[in-house]
Amino acid sequence: MTHSRKMMFAGLALAIFTMPLAAHADPGRGGYPRQFLGDRLREQSQLQPAPAPNRVSVAQQGSGNGAGVLQAGSGNTAGILQFGQGNTGVITQQGSGNTACLIQAGRNLNGSVRQVGDNQSDGLLQHRWGSDVIPVDVCTTATTRREVMAYASPNPQRDVRTRTRPQALRQ
């Protein structure tokens, strides 16, 4: 009997001490609430929001193309589109919330985009006769070479040469 009484009191004490009770803040000195070690530990143990994931998309048409993306941080988006042969493209992002787009249309083009910091947005189109700055949305909206080349600067006109025979050979 005494054993069951002890178990009952132990269970009752355990229930009383583990039961949640209403708490109030003690303003302490100067109106600021006191912080106890237990309060600081609870604040530190609360879960932090998960960082935003990084996203990468690479699309290649042609042969011998190479692409690489390095992302350090969170919430970064990188896209590489390659049309042609022997192109090499690299995007490096260090920070958070960066967006980069690299498009290569032609042969044997080497290009890179490097972003260091937060919330940057860069788009680059490389083609046979140069490069152009483009909106970063082009990497997600354009799917064909024709759509991409709509953003390219016009091809500089070649010298117009007419074929004529030398004066001595004319009759």
Side-chain angles (χ1 to χ4, degrees):
M1 183 99 153
T2 60
H3 181 61
S4 64
R5 227 183 247 177
K6 286 182 185 178
M7 290 300 286
M8 183 179 72
F9 284 128
L12 183 60
L14 183 62
I16 289 173
F17 290 119
T18 59
M19 188 169 30
L21 301 173
H24 67 282
D26 181 11
R29 290 189 216 145
Y32 297 107
R34 292 183 187 166
Q35 282 195 339
F36 297 101
L37 179 61
D39 293 337
R40 279 183 258 146
L41 290 176
R42 271 191 294 279
E43 289 172 5
Q44 292 174 357
S45 68
Q46 291 178 356
L47 294 177
Q48 297 295 326
N54 292 325
R55 286 179 250 141
V56 174
S57 66
V58 175
Q60 298 171 320
Q61 292 180 354
S63 63
N65 294 321
V69 176
L70 174 65
Q71 294 174 318
S74 62
N76 296 315
T77 302
I80 297 178
L81 298 176
Q82 294 174 320
F83 302 95
Q85 298 175 350
N87 298 319
T88 304
V90 176
I91 295 177
T92 305
Q93 296 174 315
Q94 297 173 333
S96 298
N98 296 315
T99 306
C101 173
L102 174 61
I103 300 177
Q104 297 173 314
R107 291 183 178 190
N108 303 318
L109 300 170
N110 294 319
S112 67
V113 175
R114 181 176 176 168
Q115 296 173 319
V116 177
D118 297 334
N119 303 316
Q120 299 179 39
S121 180
D122 295 309
L124 178 66
L125 168 62
Q126 286 185 308
H127 44 79
R128 291 181 297 207
W129 52 90
S131 62
D132 295 300
V133 175
I134 59 170
V136 293
D137 298 342
V138 177
C139 276
T140 57
T141 59
T143 56
T144 64
R145 185 178 187 141
R146 179 175 293 212
E147 291 173 349
V148 166
M149 294 309 286
Y151 292 93
S153 57
N155 187 356
Q157 298 295 325
R158 296 187 199 173
D159 292 337
V160 178
R161 297 183 187 181
T162 58
R163 293 188 152 205
T164 61
R165 293 184 289 184
Q167 190 72 19
L169 298 175
R170 291 187 196 173
Q171 295 187 18

